[in-house]
Amino acid sequence: MDRRPARRRIAAAATATAVLAAGTFALGAGVAGADPASKGGKHAKPVTKTQVLALFDQWNAALQTGDPEKVADLYAKDAVLLPTVSNQVRTDRAGIVDYFEHFLQNKPKGAKIESVVNVLDRDTVIDTGVYEFALTDHGTGEKSTVKARYTYAYEKQPNGKWLIVNHHSSKMPQG
């Protein structure tokens, strides 16, 4: 019995499997960074570090309005907020608005000290680092500064707007 035709079939099957695997890998890589069906559209440009850093400026400007609804508008519907000066985890818009109703009474003004930006893909970025807030006690007028670590995770929405999906902020440990 001649085994050459069987070997050719095995070689052809192996080649077809390799081609299929390479195509699957290429599709998988597309999902991570260049998927035409992603929220940003097939011609969307990757987000830059400068654009990500500007998202904090937008958030800080919303704080300056004193309107907790405007601040909450920058968070996704199902966002999680682990706030700086509250022990309560906020997991919906009502909780986020409630936190900012109280926090904004102190007239916070944020400034970043250190920032590290990670672009995960064109629709997902993380900004993490250290910031500080100048606060004014609404009862006494006394001024103070709170230094804190932060992480913002942002997702680009189908309409092109970046929203916060996770925000963690914690006071720096003393000592």
Side-chain angles (χ1 to χ4, degrees), residues 153-173:
Y154 297 95
E155 283 185 353
K156 191 174 191 179
Q157 304 302 299
N159 65 3
K161 184 175 181 180
W162 287 93
L163 292 179
I164 301 165
V165 293
N166 192 300
H167 177 190
H168 174 233
S169 181
S170 57
K171 289 182 190 179
M172 296 294 274

Side-chain angles (χ1 to χ4, degrees), residues 3 6 11 17-18 32 35-36 46 49 52 55 68 75 103 106 133 135 138 146 168 170:
R3 296 212 173 252
T17 301
D35 181 8
K49 181 178 179 177
V52 175
L55 295 171
Y75 290 79
F103 185 62
N106 295 314
F133 286 94
L135 304 173
H138 64 280
V146 174
H168 174 233
S170 57

